[in-house]
Amino acid sequence: MNEQFMREAIRLASDNIDNGGGPFGAVVVKDGVIVGRGANRVTANNDPTAHAEVSAIRDACQRLATFDLSGCEVYTSCEPCPMCLGAIYWARIGRIYYGNTQADAAEIDFDDSFIYRQIEKPIGGRAIPEVQCLHSESIDTFKKWAQTDKKTKY
């Protein structure tokens, strides 16, 4: 763990409060160098996906020209929410360092426990109804993908 990188994530979070965003910051590090930075811009940008970790991942991927961040680490001012945790896994980041906990975030009204509980439920028991439709038509795109030689596996 490198305290310098964690302090940068914390600085981004603090500065972001002054710039109209939420109190979250994150950096992606590869080989001892920051390759991506992000801060929570959900309310500032009217974008519910503009969390610090997702923004840092997007920045790193753009700078490194890849969707695969294997060999990278993320330093984030708070334990990642479910969406950010999913993005970290999809990006193949190898380690997460965080400052504040889920409980700390909940104390200032950033409580993700509802989402964690929803994920554990079967589809029919979730708060937002999920309805499968046009499966026989939509499966054709998966069949097309399986047969094409123009795919990049990820």
Side-chain angles (χ1 to χ4, degrees):
M1 199 277 292
N2 186 316
E3 291 180 1
Q4 168 192 339
F5 299 136
M6 181 56 75
R7 286 192 178 103
E8 177 63 6
I10 294 166
R11 184 194 67 75
L12 288 168
S14 181
D15 288 354
N16 198 48
I17 296 168
D18 299 331
N19 294 317
F24 303 95
V27 296
V28 174
V29 176
K30 182 170 183 143
D31 299 325
V33 176
I34 294 175
V35 295
R37 286 180 167 79
N40 182 291
R41 303 301 292 167
V42 171
T43 57
N45 294 355
N46 294 317
D47 179 354
T49 68
H51 287 206
E53 296 91 337
V54 170
S55 297
I57 289 168
R58 289 174 179 161
D59 187 36
C61 288
Q62 184 177 19
R63 289 173 187 264
L64 298 175
T66 184
F67 57 82
D68 184 345
L69 297 179
S70 296
C72 292
E73 301 171 328
V74 64
Y75 288 77
T76 179
S77 63
C78 186
E79 186 176 358
C81 75
M83 177 184 67
C84 293
L85 187 60
I88 290 166
Y89 274 92
W90 277 113
R92 298 184 181 104
I93 291 173
R95 188 170 301 241
I96 302 166
Y97 297 100
Y98 64 92
N100 297 313
T101 66
Q102 290 178 34
D104 296 329
E107 286 182 21
I108 60 165
D109 296 326
F110 291 93
D111 188 355
D112 297 322
S113 62
F114 173 78
I115 299 171
Y116 282 108
R117 289 192 308 272
Q118 289 297 300
I119 291 169
E120 294 173 353
K121 292 181 178 189
I123 289 174
R126 295 179 182 163
I128 298 174
E130 298 179 43
V131 180
Q132 184 178 23
C133 56
L134 297 180
H135 180 254
S136 62
E137 293 179 36
S138 63
I139 197 68
D140 289 342
T141 58
F142 281 14
K143 290 176 182 175
K144 182 177 179 179
W145 173 259
Q147 296 172 357
T148 187
D149 59 355
K150 298 179 181 180
K151 60 186 161 199
T152 301
K153 290 193 175 192
Y154 60 96

